[in-house]
Amino acid sequence: MKKIILLVFALALSFSSCEKDDICDANTPTTPRLVIGFYDFLNPSVLKNVSNLKVVGEGMTDGILFNGSQTTSGNTISIPLKTVGTSTTYSFTLNSGNANPALIDEDIIKLDYTTQELFVSRACGYKSIFTLDPTNPYTHTDATAANQKWIKFISVEKSNIENENETHIKIFF
């Protein structure tokens, strides 16, 4: 009987040292990406598909992967912003990889913002939320010539980037 009690006691002690696993649930909102919608410049209420868009961050050689490739042909994209620092620069190349170099056009957009860190949970840690600079949220230049921008106009729809459920920036071309 003493052996059974000692065995149960030893077993109870071994389980008392177990700790709950802290795993961040995949559905927990984390640092949001910037959601960009592309619209027709001549008909601003209509979403417009971009052809073979490649988005590359400053200092990077490879673009962001969209659907397993580095180019996308859709009307909405989500791109990350740097959590360290106050700006992120991307080059947006329309018709990337086209055989005719005259059809390839690259514009550069620098986004200026502030960040705020919010505690999510012990398992997930912190997430960053972004607020685009109210006076100058972006700088738009063309990589080759200022008068040949494929992006005609940029509209900031939501300056607070807290989730990915809404379009933050509209690009008209």
Side-chain angles (χ1 to χ4, degrees):
M1 184 66 149
K2 285 184 178 181
K3 289 182 181 179
I4 294 175
I5 292 175
L6 282 174
L7 182 62
V8 169
F9 183 68
L11 202 57
L13 282 177
S14 67
F15 284 119
S16 69
S17 66
C18 291
E19 192 174 306
K20 179 185 165 207
D21 287 340
D22 280 339
I23 298 173
C24 185
D25 182 19
N27 296 325
T28 303
T30 56
T31 299
R33 294 173 293 174
L34 177 73
V35 179
I36 300 173
F38 296 94
Y39 289 81
D40 188 346
F41 182 70
L42 299 176
N43 192 357
S45 63
V46 176
L47 280 165
K48 184 176 177 182
N49 286 342
V50 290
S51 299
N52 296 320
L53 176 68
K54 183 175 183 178
V55 181
V56 180
E58 181 180 47
M60 306 296 289
T61 55
D62 294 328
I64 296 173
L65 293 179
F66 299 104
N67 299 326
S69 70
Q70 289 189 4
T71 59
T72 186
S73 293
N75 56 29
T76 304
I77 62 170
S78 298
I79 57 175
L81 297 175
K82 293 180 185 177
T83 57
V84 178
T86 58
S87 69
T88 301
T89 302
Y90 281 105
S91 69
F92 290 77
T93 306
L94 185 66
N95 296 322
S96 176
N98 194 308
N100 182 355
L103 296 177
I104 300 172
D105 196 357
E106 178 184 29
D107 282 16
I108 298 170
I109 298 176
K110 177 185 173 202
L111 300 155
D112 295 313
Y113 50 85
T114 58
T115 60
Q116 179 184 0
E117 300 239 335
L118 295 176
F119 181 73
V120 176
S121 69
R122 191 171 78 164
C124 299
Y126 287 85
K127 76 173 188 174
S128 295
I129 59 171
F130 307 95
T131 303
L132 294 174
D133 184 341
T135 57
N136 189 26
Y138 64 87
T139 305
H140 175 208
T141 56
D142 189 287
T144 54
N147 61 349
Q148 295 180 358
K149 296 177 184 175
W150 71 269
I151 297 174
K152 304 294 185 209
F153 180 72
I154 299 172
S155 169
V156 176
E157 298 298 307
K158 302 281 184 182
S159 58
N160 292 331
I161 303 166
E162 298 175 1
N163 60 55
E164 296 178 11
N165 301 333
E166 55 198 3
T167 300
H168 303 112
I169 290 180
K170 290 182 177 179
I171 291 180
F172 298 89
F173 71 103

